Amino acid sequence: MALQLIDAITDGTRRVLTRTGGLLLVLLLAQQLLVVTSINTLLAAEIPPEAADVIGLTIPVSGTVAGAILLGTFVFSGVYFVVLSRAFARPLPQLSSFPTELYTRRVGRATLSTLVGGIVVFVAVMIGFAFLFLPGVFLAACFLFFIFAVGVEDRGVLGALKRSWGLSKGNRLRLVAIVLISGIVGAFVGAIPALFQLAGASALGDVASVLLNSVLFTFVYGITAAAYLQLADGEGGLGGPRSSASTSTGPNPEI
């Protein structure tokens, strides 16, 4: 099935502009804020006090505690993306609710698969970028649906990688557009703290960066979910012959 990118953008935007989308945005804001402040606190603990004005938002804890918070945030990120995939991949009328099964059903196994698989995908994409950029973009498009295969279809790491590769087949040029949008957004948002730092307002730059990053990437994730649903439904349902309406939160275990 050919991916209808405009339809995915429209449908993804609708998914973000729901109660579920709003809640996921708030959670992403919290996650991003914890990442930024804990990293800044670690950096502040390693530099001379007179240079501390170049550090943005920090938290009043020691470097050791900040490291523990950063590690906890990493684990939380795995849970978050499992929940995000399950929440956004439901039929649109269901996005006015946020049932407990989104964050209770096999969440430990799914989180572990997300963290391990995420590292594998990150390393593969970075190696691809090292080889003249294009292989990295190609691999990012191929594994764009990895988290949905884990969270929605209950697949393990290898099964999810294979599933994402299969779903992307025949549509990778269109999916590259989503990857490039993500990259452009990341580059734009990443430049904001440096600009505010030059103006002597590092903390304000962190706030602006976290806010913009969370809003823009919530839309990217919504669009990716819509693209995933298009292609999965085109194969006869999410991981099998049943419709997405009946399986979007149900198990389909695979290792």
Side-chain angles (χ1 to χ4, degrees):
M1 174 184 177
L3 174 66
Q4 302 301 313
L5 189 56
I6 299 300
D7 290 345
I9 293 173
T10 301
D11 183 33
T13 301
R14 288 172 180 164
R15 292 175 182 277
V16 172
L17 300 177
T18 60
R19 180 174 178 270
T20 288
L23 183 54
L24 290 173
L25 171 59
V26 170
L27 290 173
L28 185 58
L29 276 168
Q31 185 264 351
Q32 291 287 298
L33 190 61
L34 282 173
V35 169
V36 169
T37 55
S38 58
I39 290 177
N40 285 349
T41 302
L42 283 170
L43 291 175
E46 300 297 327
I47 64 174
E50 58 270 19
D53 58 345
V54 301
I55 302 295
L57 290 175
T58 59
I59 44 182
V61 298
S62 66
T64 301
V65 174
I69 293 174
L70 183 60
L71 180 60
T73 304
F74 173 70
V75 176
F76 171 76
S77 298
V79 178
Y80 173 79
F81 284 109
V82 170
V83 174
L84 177 143
S85 66
R86 294 173 176 176
F88 268 155
R90 293 177 295 161
L92 190 59
Q94 294 183 15
L95 267 63
S96 60
S97 65
F98 207 85
T100 58
E101 65 179 357
L102 295 177
Y103 50 87
T104 58
R105 178 172 60 81
R106 298 187 178 184
V107 68
R109 177 182 182 273
T111 298
L112 181 60
S113 295
T114 297
L115 295 176
V116 173
I119 293 172
V120 172
V121 171
F122 176 79
V123 171
V125 170
M126 289 301 100
I127 292 174
F129 279 129
F131 288 94
L132 301 178
F133 185 77
L134 290 180
V137 175
F138 172 78
L139 289 173
C142 290
F143 297 129
L144 194 61
F145 302 126
F146 168 79
I147 183 56
F148 293 93
V150 171
V152 179
E153 302 180 17
D154 284 342
R155 296 175 186 261
V157 174
L158 292 179
L161 291 172
K162 292 178 181 177
R163 173 66 167 160
S164 183
W165 187 277
L167 280 176
S168 67
K169 188 176 182 180
N171 289 284
R172 286 165 186 154
L173 286 178
R174 294 178 179 87
L175 294 175
V176 162
I178 298 178
V179 172
L180 291 178
I181 289 172
S182 301
I184 292 170
V185 167
F188 172 73
V189 174
I192 290 176
L195 295 176
F196 276 88
Q197 184 177 327
L198 291 174
S202 298
L204 185 58
D206 283 340
V207 172
S209 176
V210 166
L211 180 60
L212 283 174
N213 189 69
S214 300
V215 171
L216 294 173
F217 273 100
T218 299
F219 277 93
V220 170
Y221 298 139
I223 293 167
T224 304
Y228 162 75
L229 288 171
Q230 267 194 46
L231 298 178
D233 286 346
E235 289 192 344
L238 304 187
R242 293 173 293 172
S243 68
S244 61
S246 63
T247 65
S248 58
T249 57
N252 182 23
E254 177 180 326
I255 297 176

